[in-house]
């Protein structure tokens, strides 16, 4: 498959010339309108390389390539320009918006060499991105597995709370949304560094000594330290550390709005308190009233929670069901251990099921007898 290259120039005859000469080397698209070019990149990308003229109506080449960078960061951007535009080009390069610029009149061999360099750059960045994403997913999965084994109650709790947080964060236009679920699921990962007896007392709502309270309350710091060096989780590490904040109203409202990590941490904290109250059997209005009386959270977040969930009781949005292996679904959570007829635990209580785990369970069932039905926690999909 030929690499995809987009040429943008307001002179159609120039585009025709590029197309006729270069179509043997690349999968060429052309546009004589920079606004249209943005749409082409959005709808037909990603392109390995975009080559644009500088002087065009409506939008110059630097502006166009800056817009393209917002859509597809890895696309290599090359600018064609005359000597009179030198200062503008230098500024664009310094801002990181342009990979290379070529002066007119252009020598075709030089253009081909630079496009080929751009394609190699695109492929390199793409490979690095794929490797990073695989590393990220593997790291997050490992941490979640550790939490599910070491503290089942915590894992089940954050699995339940994530649905509340995702909805509130979406309504508050939090971006990127992929951070939200990971931040919730890892929000209590620091508990792996807290002695089990202290965590157990906290879960059973037994009184803690002042020293135990100090140790327990340090778990956001521990969690942040655990993940801050994982690529792309730096902001999530800050979200986790902000959970140590006792009063979010101490911050200026503008900071709460501009500091994304602080905002998401507040949403998670509010959602956990709301879930805890609902899980104790109190009503939606009781939970909202309690949050308002504490006066340490942003009123607009509590109001949004009140509006979004109405009178529904979040604790009742989850149900425990008994299902057979063929009926297991992704995102169900095991309410009991999966064991075989010899009593060997195959998957522990609290494990959130993925397609891969379900596939493994079905594969195991072919070679050994697994005790069925299996109790699982299932959540309604409407929140």
């Amino acid at each position: 498959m030929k690499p995809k290259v987009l040429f943008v120039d307001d002179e159609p005859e120039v585009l025709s010339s590029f197309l006729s000469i270069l179509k043997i080397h690349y999968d060429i698209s052309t546009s004589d309108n920079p606004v249209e070019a943005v749409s082409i990149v959005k709808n037909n990308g990603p392109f390995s390389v975009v080559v644009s003229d500088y002087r065009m109506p409506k939008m110059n080449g630097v502006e166009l390539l800056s817009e393209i960078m917002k859509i597809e960061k890895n696309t290599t951007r090359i600018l064609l320009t005359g000597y009179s535009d030198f200062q503008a080009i230098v500024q664009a390069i310094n801002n990181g918006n342009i990979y290379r610029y070529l002066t007119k009149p252009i020598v075709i061999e030089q253009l081909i060499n630079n496009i080929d360099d751009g394609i190699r750059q695109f492929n390199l960045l793409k490979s690095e991105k794929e490797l990073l994403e695989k590393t990220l997913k593997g790291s997050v999965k490992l941490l979640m597995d550790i939490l599910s084994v070491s503290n089942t109650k915590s894992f089940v709790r954050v699995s339940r709370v994530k649905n509340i947080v995702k909805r509130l964060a979406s309504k508050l236009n939090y971006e990127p949304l992929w951070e939200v679920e990971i931040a919730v699921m890892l929000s209590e990962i620091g508990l792996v560094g807290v002695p089990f007896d202290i965590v157990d007392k906290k879960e059973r709502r037994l009184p803690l000594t002042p020293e135990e309270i100090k140790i327990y309350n340090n778990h956001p710091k521990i969690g942040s330290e655990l993940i801050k060096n994982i690529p792309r989780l730096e902001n999530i590490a800050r979200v986790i550390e902000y959970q140590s904040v006792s009063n979010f109203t101490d911050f200026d409202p503008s900071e709460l709005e501009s500091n994304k990590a602080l905002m998401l941490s507040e949403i998670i904290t509010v959602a956990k308190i709301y879930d805890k109250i609902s899980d104790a059997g109190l009503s939606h209005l009781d939970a909202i009233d309690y949050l308002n009386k504490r006066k340490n959270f942003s009123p607009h977040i509590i109001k949004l929670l009140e509006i979004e969930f109405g009178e529904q009781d979040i604790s009742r949005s989850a149900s425990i069901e008994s299902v057979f292996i063929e009926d297991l679904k992704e995102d169900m959570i095991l309410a009991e251990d999966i064991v075989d007829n010899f009593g060997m635990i195959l998957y522990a209580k609290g494990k959130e099921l993925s397609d891969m785990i379900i596939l493994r369970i079905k594969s195991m069932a072919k070679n050994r007898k697994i005790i069925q039905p299996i109790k699982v926690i299932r959540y309604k999909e409407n929140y």
Side-chain angles (χ1 to χ4, degrees), residues 53-55 80-86 89 101-105:
D53 187 31
Y54 176 71
R55 292 189 178 275
L80 303 182
T81 180
Y83 285 107
S84 60
D85 305 316
F86 184 73
I89 308 311
Y101 80 94
L102 304 175
T103 55
K104 296 178 178 179

Side-chain angles (χ1 to χ4, degrees), residues 40 48 51 67 71 95 110 114-115 163 196 237 244 251 272 280 309 353 359 374:
I40 291 173
S48 299
V51 181
E67 288 299 311
I71 300 167
N95 290 338
Q110 180 190 18
N114 279 274
I115 291 175
N163 296 288
F196 175 78
S244 60
F251 293 89
K272 285 182 179 179
F309 293 97
L353 299 181
L359 190 63
I374 300 164

